[in-house]
Every structure is written in C-alpha cells, then in structure tokens.
Amino acid sequence: WDTASSNSSFKPKRIYNSDTVRLTDLTVGDDQVCAREVNSGMAKCWRGNKNGGSKFPPPWEALRFQAITSGIGFSCGILKNNGTVLCWGNGSIGAEIQRHFGNLPMSTLVAGESHACGLTLTGILVCKGNNGSGQLDVPFSSAYEFSGLALGENFTCAIKVRNGLVACWGGKNRFEFDSNVIENVSFESIVAGLDFACGLISSNLS
C-alpha cells in the first residue's frame, strides 16, 4: 500500500500468498520488495523500476540465504553455505558492496541507501559502500559491542549491547544524529528511513 493518499494510481495489492511456502525477512528498497522463503532460504523479489522496465532481478534460484536486506536499487543477502555477502539489482552499488565484503563471513547485514553494515561471525561491526558522509566510519569498537543496526541515506546507527544506548555516525553534519533525544535512552530495536531513525524504547516499548 502507499502512504501518499494523493497517489490514486497506486492501488493496494497483495504480491504473494501461499499456505505452504512461508516467507520471512521482508525487505523494501526504493522500488523492489524482497523476502526469503523460511524453509529453503531462497530469495523472492517483486516490482520493478520507476521507468516501467524489467522487474527487479531476483538472485539465482540455486542460492540459499540466511538473511537478506535491501537498499536503493539493490538487495544483498548472506549465503547459508559460507556466510559471505552476495548482492543483486539494477545498479553498480550492490556489486561494489559485495566486492568490498569479499569472502568475509557475516552473521547479520543491514542496507542503507548506498551502503551496508553488518556483524562478522566474531562480532565485529563492518560497513562497506558509499562513504560520502562518513557513514562507513565505524567508531572504535570491540567484538560484540554493537547489536541492532539502522542505516539511512548517509548515516549509520547501532545499539550498544552493554546498555542499549544508540551510537550514530555520518549524516550531512556530524551532529545531525547525535541528538539529545536519545541520550541515556536504551533501545530494544531501531530502524531507519532515508533521513530519520526510529526505535522501540526498552523501558516501555513505546
């Protein structure tokens, strides 16, 4: 469905329905919607590009993922067999992100507009892709220091495991997401749009 009510040409539409093959990891980019089959790990994608071109290309059916995520024009996943990152889509940024992650095995992965971050199997936070606003410049961290991640257009936020506090870096200016609104506030989870972030507060889940 579309939250812009003025866009009357967009009708709410069910894009998938199955009583047998369940989906998880629903992820949205700019035009693509992707999800992962629970049992097989196969990725499915729907919709196409704004210019009415071909549908968003799904990855090869033989590939099996343990997690997937989507950015602007690309989606990436962590392969089940070896934990490496594989990306697909219409642009070059996904291929660049995949190349930079290389053979580094990952346990989690979250995409922003043109960058992606995740935790390695040893708990180290790694970011790859566009670094135009310092969104890849992870502050010094030790293993297993960060958990939940939220990535936007040009910033990255992460929850500190020790106390649930949120650290952010990048953005058009370095203080943009260093807000006193989240100072000394512990979070259970966080997500991001292009230029804002939201989270569930630990104290009352608001």
Side-chain angles (χ1 to χ4, degrees):
W1 64 94
D2 195 337
T3 57
S5 57
S6 60
N7 184 5
S8 58
S9 64
F10 187 94
K11 305 297 184 201
K13 178 183 179 183
R14 174 177 285 180
I15 56 175
Y16 180 83
N17 184 31
S18 172
D19 294 330
T20 55
V21 181
R22 295 176 299 140
L23 301 180
T24 188
D25 284 0
L26 184 65
T27 173
V28 177
D30 52 346
D31 285 312
Q32 82 275 23
V33 179
C34 296
R36 185 173 60 88
E37 291 185 358
V38 172
N39 292 332
S40 71
M42 190 171 77
K44 292 177 171 286
C45 294
W46 300 270
R47 301 198 61 182
N49 59 42
K50 292 184 176 78
N51 301 320
S54 61
K55 273 175 43 177
F56 190 83
W60 301 274
E61 285 192 7
L63 296 173
R64 299 294 182 260
F65 296 92
Q66 63 185 24
I68 60 172
T69 185
S70 293
I72 303 300
F74 71 95
S75 293
C76 295
I78 302 174
L79 292 172
K80 271 188 173 182
N81 61 343
N82 58 14
T84 59
V85 173
L86 185 138
C87 301
W88 63 96
N90 296 314
S92 60
I93 188 64
E96 180 184 338
I97 290 171
Q98 177 180 320
R99 186 173 68 253
H100 286 163
F101 272 105
N103 295 322
L104 187 64
M106 305 295 293
S107 62
T108 66
L109 190 69
V110 177
E113 180 188 86
S114 58
H115 71 299
C117 299
L119 296 170
T120 67
L121 295 181
T122 54
I124 302 297
L125 178 56
V126 177
C127 294
K128 303 292 182 184
N130 176 22
N131 196 33
S133 297
Q135 59 265 51
L136 305 186
D137 299 340
V138 179
F140 176 79
S141 64
S142 54
Y144 303 106
E145 181 173 347
F146 293 113
S147 57
L149 302 172
L151 281 63
E153 176 183 7
N154 54 21
F155 69 93
T156 303
C157 293
I159 297 176
K160 296 179 181 180
V161 173
R162 180 169 48 89
N163 51 22
L165 301 183
V166 171
C168 297
W169 53 94
K172 291 183 178 68
N173 65 72
R174 56 182 295 232
F175 301 109
E176 186 176 5
F177 290 93
D178 190 18
S179 170
N180 58 10
V181 172
I182 59 171
E183 190 177 4
N184 297 320
V185 179
S186 296
F187 287 87
E188 294 297 301
S189 67
I190 53 175
V191 293
L194 289 181
D195 59 355
F196 66 97
C198 299
L200 287 176
I201 298 173
S202 298
S203 60
N204 59 10
L205 296 183
S206 62

